[in-house]
């Protein structure tokens, strides 16, 4: 549920759907709907069955009071006695019903009303026009013809209005149930057809029945007028099926053939008498164009004679079509990624709906509301586009933030191609953390803590920066990820954030090159008058958790897990210039390694002994090798140098004091053979206090590692930290021995 409530476009789409359904029901946008009806009706009159859309010239005829009539008549308006004469002649010529579309709502000044009323009664088939009066869109009263005309014949209201207040398009006739209960309360066209059929109209709910003809009205009781299509060359229906009233004023002077032709034209038909003069302004805009008032009445009668071929779509069809269209527009505009395809798909959806609406209107006479649905579709497309724009901006911001995070996190410690790959494929970085198989490297400057205590802070920082700068370039070269600088130590991972098949091989090659680069580091230190340093490197391969670790305030990309701790343990066994690797790392790299030695150790936190290997080089495409080690010659001292030895357990110093003495030294005084009252395991870390011949302390800050065992009471030490005063003293002792 949260997935959908988070999408404002879906919520908006649902609201648009409800609004479209409500607006269609209440016809709030009929001005737009009328435009679509006009377009569809033009197609209907052109492509639909002419038997349905054509004008029924066999049933309806016009008698027009046109401009030519008044030119010959020599007067205005038409006298009511002459109206009576026309009606009498039509009756004699066989008109079935005569509809006189004029509202005689004022008494005649010449007293001609009784004569006209007598003619109407004698004809017995005339329908006059009345006028329905509305106030505030509600029926108020009916304006009938004046007495005695009202009593002489039936009448029907001839006024119809547009469904929109914004325009005057006339496309339907509304049947008002409350008016039908009034005397002569039917529309003029309905009353004329009822007179033609000799029946009375009936309204049952929204079904209008006139004789055998039944018409389904809209939910507002509207009858949609199916305006006829006219043959080429005819602008108005009265031109096709009409005769001038001038020909019916006096038929006594017509010869027999003319009279016979006139009878054939009139007999048995519905005859509509109406004004078609320019000054009458009795012209209206309809879906078929501009037509005269009597032609609207004729079109309404024609519609009734065909049982109302135009009818609104059922309510469920309207709702279903709107829903389907909006869903199609939504998916076309939101699920298609390519912008031009999205626009094309949306246009296609609109086109298909337009074709559907037009086809139903033209061939089935079903009026499917199009404007409401299409406006809703436009709003839906706009909403989806805005949502897509917002999502795209948010995604772009997230991507930029992620890109900034990646650059900030990795830019200084990764090669440019890996950083770019992370930016191009953000899925390659799971910020929440994941378990991965990595190769971890831990480096450390052996004995640097003791060195740093004897130097000013700026010199310490200079040494570290010289070292880190050189190492960083090499790590980036081999696509390693620098996880952290820990003082003079570096934690590096290979295989994250980007994994490659040769991660472990590159890690070992990187370690070898880093050891080789220590020559340059120390050369720079010597140039600056700083002491030389040595580096130990440990590598291990295993599963760790890697990801963005920390809090929302501050986080870093890092690794955690027992294999990280094991890497640090492996590195702690190194002395200067060594690369130690775990068994898993050795297996991953394969036989391209040069292994100088193997030995078992029992690191803290590991339940069983493990085998680690000292790597002297890597072949294959890397072809990197450390100088091969040869046995270091030791010089026996003329006199032993007294020592106090303390065993180190991690960072803690064992309180037990062990007595010992140096009995041999190499020429650089970095390797010493000592005698001791206690045995030490290989790779044990020691802190040593050095005494002179008088028993005075020369230095307490010697650190060493047991590199070999020479017997039960003798071990070989490698001094990892040798203070200057201790180095001077040992060289003096060595000189006395001739070394």
């Amino acid at each position: 549920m949260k997935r959908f409530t988070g999408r404002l476009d879906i919520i908006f789409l649902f609201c648009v759907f409800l609004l479209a359904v409500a607006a269609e029901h209440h016809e709030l946008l009929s001005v737009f709907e009328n435009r679509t009806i006009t377009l569809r009706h033009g197609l209907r009159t052109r492509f639909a069955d002419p038997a349905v859309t054509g004008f029924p010239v066999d049933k309806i005829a016009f008698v027009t009071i046109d401009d030519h009539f008044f030119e010959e008549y020599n007067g205005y308006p038409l006298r009511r006695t002459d109206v009576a004469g026309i009606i009498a002649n039509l009756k004699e010529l066989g008109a079935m019903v005569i509809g006189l579309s004029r509202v005689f709502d004022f008494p005649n000044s010449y007293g001609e009303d009784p004569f006209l009323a007598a003619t109407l009664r004698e004809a017995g088939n005339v329908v006059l026009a009345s006028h329905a009066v509305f106030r505030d869109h509600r029926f108020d009263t009916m304006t009938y013809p004046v007495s005695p005309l009202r009593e002489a014949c039936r009448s029907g209201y001839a006024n119809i209005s547009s469904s929109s207040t914004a325009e005057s398009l006339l496309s339907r006739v509304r049947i008002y149930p409350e008016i039908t209960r009034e005397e002569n309360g039917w529309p003029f066209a309905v009353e004329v057809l009822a007179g033609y059929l000799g029946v009375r109209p009936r309204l049952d709910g929204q079904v209008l029945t006139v004789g055998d003809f039944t018409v389904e009205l809209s939910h507002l009781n509207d009858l949609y007028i199916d305006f006829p299509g006219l043959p080429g060359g005819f602008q108005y229906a009265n031109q096709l099926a009409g005769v001038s009233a001038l020909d019916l004023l006096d038929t006594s002077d017509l010869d027999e053939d003319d009279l016979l032709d006139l009878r054939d034209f009139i007999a048995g038909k519905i005859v509509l008498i109406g004004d078609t003069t320019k000054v009458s302004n009795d012209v209206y805009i309809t879906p078929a164009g501009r037509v005269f008032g009597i032609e609207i009445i004729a079109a309404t009668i024609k519609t009734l004679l065909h049982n109302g071929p135009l009818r609104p779509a059922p309510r469920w069809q309207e709702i279903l079509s709107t829903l389907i269209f909006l869903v199609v527009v939504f998916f076309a505009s939101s699920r298609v990624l390519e912008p031009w395809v999205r626009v094309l798909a949306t246009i296609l959806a609109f086109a298909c709906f337009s074709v559907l609406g037009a086809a139903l209107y033209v061939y089935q006479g079903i009026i499917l509301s199009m404007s409401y649905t299409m406006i809703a579709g436009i709003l839906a497309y706009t909403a989806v586009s805005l949502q897509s724009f917002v999502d795209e901006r948010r995604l772009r911001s997230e991507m930029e933030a992620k890109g900034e995070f990646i650059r900030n996190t990795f830019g200084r410690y990764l090669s440019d191609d890996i950083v770019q790959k992370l930016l191009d494929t953000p899925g390659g970085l799971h910020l929440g953390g994941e378990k991965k198989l990595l190769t971890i490297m831990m480096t450390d400057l052996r004995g640097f803590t003791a060195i740093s205590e004897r130097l000013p802070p700026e010199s310490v920082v200079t040494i570290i920066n010289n070292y880190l700068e050189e190492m960083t370039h090499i790590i980036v070269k081999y696509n390693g990820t620098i996880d952290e600088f820990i003082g003079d130590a570096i934690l590096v991972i290979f295989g994250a954030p980007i994994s490659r098949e040769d991660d472990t091989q590159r890690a070992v090659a990187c370690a070898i090159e880093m050891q080789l680069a220590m020559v340059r580091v120390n050369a720079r230190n010597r140039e600056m008058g700083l002491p030389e340093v040595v580096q130990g490197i440990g590598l291990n391969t295993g599963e760790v958790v890697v990801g963005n670790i920390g809090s929302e305030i501050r986080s870093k990309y890092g690794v955690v897990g027992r294999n990280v701790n094991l890497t640090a343990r492996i590195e702690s066994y190194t002395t200067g210039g060594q690369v130690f690797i775990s068994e898993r790392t050795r297996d991953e790299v394969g036989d391209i390694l040069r292994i100088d030695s193997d030995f078992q150790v029992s690191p803290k936190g590991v339940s069983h002994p493990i085998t680690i290997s000292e790597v002297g080089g890597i072949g294959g495409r890397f072809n990197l090798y450390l100088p091969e080690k040869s046995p270091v010659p030791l010089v026996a001292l003329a006199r032993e140098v007294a020592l106090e030895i303390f065993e180190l357990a991690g960072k803690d110093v064992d309180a037990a004091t062990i007595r010992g003495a140096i009995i041999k030294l190499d020429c650089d005084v970095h390797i010493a053979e000592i005698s001791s009252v206690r045995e030490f395991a290989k790779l044990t870390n020691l802190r040593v206090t050095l005494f002179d011949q008088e028993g005075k302390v020369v230095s307490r800050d010697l650190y060493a590692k047991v590199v070999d065992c020479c017997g039960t009471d003798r071990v070989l030490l490698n001094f990892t930290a040798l203070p200057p005063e201790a180095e001077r003293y040992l060289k003096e002792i060595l000189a006395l021995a001739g070394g």
Side-chain angles (χ1 to χ4, degrees), residues 119 225 318 445 597 693:
T119 303
I225 304 172
E318 294 278 8
L445 293 181
S597 63
Q693 294 299 314

Side-chain angles (χ1 to χ4, degrees), residues 317 422 535 572 656 733:
Q317 288 184 8
L422 287 173
Q535 172 184 231
S572 70
I733 297 298

Side-chain angles (χ1 to χ4, degrees), residues 200-260:
R200 296 308 305 150
R202 188 174 73 254
L203 182 64
D204 299 313
Q206 291 172 335
V207 177
L208 172 64
T209 303
V210 185
D212 294 333
F213 300 102
T214 301
V215 179
E216 183 178 346
L217 306 178
S218 75
H219 66 284
L220 296 176
N221 284 342
D222 284 338
L223 166 66
Y224 284 87
I225 304 172
D226 189 17
F227 288 91
L230 301 177
F234 293 96
Q235 183 178 0
Y236 297 105
N238 72 84
Q239 296 172 341
L240 174 67
V243 63
S244 175
L246 192 63
D247 296 332
L248 292 164
L249 270 177
D250 185 6
T251 60
S252 60
D253 57 347
L254 297 177
D255 58 31
E256 186 174 346
D257 290 338
D258 290 340
L259 195 59
L260 184 60

Side-chain angles (χ1 to χ4, degrees), residues 368-444:
L368 186 68
S369 297
M370 293 181 63
S371 62
Y372 302 94
T373 302
M374 296 183 79
I375 290 173
I378 293 172
L379 293 175
Y381 177 78
T382 303
V384 172
S385 299
L386 288 175
Q387 181 71 48
S388 299
F389 175 76
V390 171
D391 290 344
E392 186 176 338
R393 289 291 298 272
R394 183 173 63 246
L395 180 60
R396 186 178 301 172
S397 297
E398 291 175 356
M399 292 300 295
E400 289 176 354
K402 185 176 289 186
E404 188 66 23
F405 165 77
I406 293 172
R407 290 194 185 279
N408 290 339
T409 305
F410 302 109
R412 297 177 60 189
Y413 315 125
L414 289 175
S415 61
D416 292 340
D417 61 329
I418 291 187
V419 173
Q420 190 58 49
K421 187 171 183 180
L422 287 173
L423 294 174
D424 294 339
T425 57
L429 177 62
H430 298 283
L431 299 180
E434 60 180 334
K435 184 174 284 188
K436 295 188 71 173
L437 179 66
L438 305 180
T439 296
I440 308 112
M441 174 195 291
M442 178 70 80
T443 76
D444 183 45

Side-chain angles (χ1 to χ4, degrees), residues 33 55 93 101 136 176 200 226 335 368 405 408 486 537 683 707:
E33 187 62 22
F55 187 84
L93 290 170
S101 179
D136 299 326
Y176 295 93
R200 296 308 305 150
D226 189 17
R335 293 297 181 264
L368 186 68
F405 165 77
N408 290 339
I486 312 169
I537 300 177
L683 302 180
V707 294

Side-chain angles (χ1 to χ4, degrees), residues 284-509:
Y284 303 91
I285 300 173
T286 71
R290 294 169 63 85
V291 301
F292 289 100
I294 56 169
E295 293 175 328
I296 295 178
I297 295 168
T300 305
I301 296 172
K302 174 254 181 188
T303 301
L304 293 169
L305 288 171
H306 286 89
N307 292 299
L310 291 181
R311 58 197 181 281
R315 188 74 180 147
W316 68 269
Q317 288 184 8
E318 294 278 8
I319 295 175
L320 183 61
S321 63
T322 301
L323 179 61
I324 293 175
F325 177 72
L326 290 179
V327 170
V328 170
V329 169
F330 173 78
F331 279 97
S333 56
S334 64
R335 293 297 181 264
V336 180
L337 298 180
E338 288 291 337
W340 69 270
V341 179
R342 184 188 313 160
V343 173
L344 185 63
T346 304
I347 292 175
L348 183 62
F350 275 86
C352 290
F353 182 76
S354 300
V355 170
L356 174 65
L360 289 175
Y361 187 97
V362 171
Y363 298 110
Q364 300 295 324
I366 297 176
I367 306 173
L368 186 68
S369 297
M370 293 181 63
S371 62
Y372 302 94
T373 302
M374 296 183 79
I375 290 173
I378 293 172
L379 293 175
Y381 177 78
T382 303
V384 172
S385 299
L386 288 175
Q387 181 71 48
S388 299
F389 175 76
V390 171
D391 290 344
E392 186 176 338
R393 289 291 298 272
R394 183 173 63 246
L395 180 60
R396 186 178 301 172
S397 297
E398 291 175 356
M399 292 300 295
E400 289 176 354
K402 185 176 289 186
E404 188 66 23
F405 165 77
I406 293 172
R407 290 194 185 279
N408 290 339
T409 305
F410 302 109
R412 297 177 60 189
Y413 315 125
L414 289 175
S415 61
D416 292 340
D417 61 329
I418 291 187
V419 173
Q420 190 58 49
K421 187 171 183 180
L422 287 173
L423 294 174
D424 294 339
T425 57
L429 177 62
H430 298 283
L431 299 180
E434 60 180 334
K435 184 174 284 188
K436 295 188 71 173
L437 179 66
L438 305 180
T439 296
I440 308 112
M441 174 195 291
M442 178 70 80
T443 76
D444 183 45
L445 293 181
R446 307 306 297 171
F448 187 74
T449 302
I451 294 174
S452 64
E453 290 175 354
R454 301 193 306 271
L455 296 174
E458 56 272 16
S459 296
V460 173
V461 172
T462 300
I463 293 174
I464 292 177
N465 287 344
N466 287 343
Y467 165 71
L468 295 180
E469 182 176 0
E470 187 72 35
M471 298 303 113
T472 299
H473 286 300
I474 299 172
I475 293 168
V476 171
K477 173 184 174 182
Y478 285 90
N479 294 321
T481 300
I482 298 176
D483 178 85
E484 194 170 5
F485 293 136
I486 312 169
D488 59 306
I490 311 173
L491 177 60
V492 186
I493 55 177
F494 291 83
I498 303 297
S499 297
R500 300 185 181 185
E501 291 184 359
D502 63 344
D503 286 329
T504 307
Q505 291 184 354
R506 283 185 290 102
V508 175

Side-chain angles (χ1 to χ4, degrees), residues 454 690 698-701 722-730:
R454 301 193 306 271
L690 182 66
V698 176
S699 176
R700 298 181 184 276
D701 296 325
L722 192 62
E725 63 274 16
E727 184 175 3
R728 285 193 301 271
Y729 179 75
L730 290 177

Side-chain angles (χ1 to χ4, degrees), residues 116-175:
L116 177 57
T119 303
L120 296 175
R121 277 192 295 270
E122 183 178 350
N125 63 348
V126 180
V127 178
L128 296 180
S130 60
H131 188 86
V133 180
F134 296 86
R135 299 188 188 280
D136 299 326
H137 304 289
R138 305 185 72 172
F139 173 70
D140 181 60
T141 187
M142 188 76 75
T143 301
Y144 292 105
V146 296
S147 183
L149 303 183
R150 176 180 177 180
E151 292 80 17
C153 64
R154 300 196 64 81
S155 63
Y157 62 91
N159 57 305
I160 64 174
S161 59
S162 171
S163 59
S164 172
T165 58
E167 64 170 2
S168 57
L169 182 81
L170 301 180
S171 61
R172 46 189 136 163
V173 175
R174 181 161 296 179
I175 311 296

